[in-house]
Amino acid sequence: DGGRLLAVGRYQVARLWKADDGTKIADLTTQGPARRHHAVQAAQFAFAKSELDHHSTALKSSESSQKSSTEVIKKAGEELAGVEKTVAEKQVALDEVLKKRQDAEAAAAEASKAAESGTEQAQADKKKADEALEAAKKAEGEAGKSLEVAKTVLAKGQREQQRLTRALAEADRRLAEAKVRRQEAENHLKAAEADQQQAALHLEQAGKSIRSAAFSPDGSLLVLGGEHGALYSFSADSGAESWVL
């Protein structure tokens, strides 16, 4: 709008003046914005690094937890297999005892019928058969109780196996999530490092001569550029810094 004048040459400073009375508004330099921009990028890089360290630690913890869960469920599976084998063996033992009890019942019934003859031998045989039947019934009861105890242990082991399986699935999920987050943090760090390096280059080159300048169409902003490869925007009214590109 013709209200401002800007003096630019082979210097590190551009001077902004009022066109109507020649009053200097501000000395503009790219070094200040470059330093602040570098400080911001350095802070972001430091944050990205701490973020990566955090997620790396979380990943190691998830890996350890998943490994532990895998070992626990493997051991529990082996123990459960042992209990299942015990239950199967006790079921076989009970079946054998049942068969013996049935045979003892048949023998007792036959001896009882023979004892009707009243002979001493028949009476003795009946007594012996009755005793054998009682022993068979007792053995059947003990085998049945032993089987029930084994089944109770098996049911408890199966419930624990289900719980451990769910815990392992959760550990697997957390491990996968931790891997994703660490990868994201690593990508973030790489991007922040590239931005920091670019800001460092701008800072290094900001002391070089300002070679170009332009006002915005509405006259509210002006942009400086030069050998440093970046553009720096300032308020045309006050000389205040606006942005770095």
Side-chain angles (χ1 to χ4, degrees), residues 8 13 22 34 75 84 109 117-119 165 206 219 233:
V8 178
V13 177
K75 183 178 179 180
E84 290 174 339
S117 63
T119 65
T165 298
S233 173

Side-chain angles (χ1 to χ4, degrees), residues 111-181:
S112 178
K113 184 176 181 181
E116 293 175 358
S117 63
T119 65
E120 291 183 5
Q121 183 61 45
Q123 291 297 326
D125 291 343
K126 180 179 182 302
K127 182 179 179 181
K128 184 177 180 180
D130 288 343
E131 291 174 349
L133 177 57
E134 288 302 315
K137 287 181 179 180
K138 182 179 179 180
E140 178 186 356
E142 292 175 349
K145 290 180 180 179
S146 181
L147 177 59
E148 287 305 313
V149 170
K151 285 183 176 180
T152 299
V153 174
L154 176 61
K156 183 178 179 180
Q158 289 172 334
R159 289 193 296 271
E160 179 65 9
Q161 184 79 352
Q162 292 172 353
R163 185 189 71 79
L164 292 173
T165 298
R166 291 192 297 270
L168 178 58
E170 177 64 14
D172 288 340
R173 184 192 68 78
R174 289 182 178 179
L175 176 59
E177 184 177 283
K179 287 180 178 179
V180 170
R181 288 184 176 179

Side-chain angles (χ1 to χ4, degrees), residues 81 110 166 245:
E110 185 176 345
R166 291 192 297 270
L245 179 62

Side-chain angles (χ1 to χ4, degrees), residues 62-113:
S62 295
E63 288 174 340
S64 177
S65 178
Q66 195 270 351
K67 181 180 179 181
S68 177
S69 295
T70 299
E71 292 173 350
V72 169
I73 198 170
K74 179 181 178 181
K75 183 178 179 180
E78 292 171 350
E79 293 176 352
L80 185 61
V83 175
E84 290 174 339
K85 181 180 179 182
T86 298
V87 170
E89 290 173 347
K90 290 185 178 297
Q91 183 63 61
V92 171
L94 178 60
D95 293 341
E96 291 176 352
V97 170
L98 286 173
K99 179 66 169 58
K100 290 180 180 180
R101 193 259 297 167
Q102 292 171 351
D103 292 343
E105 285 179 340
E110 185 176 345
S112 178
K113 184 176 181 181

Side-chain angles (χ1 to χ4, degrees), residues 8 30 39 45 55 70 89 101 107 111 171 186 189 215 219 234 241:
V8 178
T30 59
F45 174 77
H55 287 298
T70 299
E89 290 173 347
R101 193 259 297 167
E186 186 174 346
L189 178 62
F215 284 92
F234 300 84
E241 301 158 5

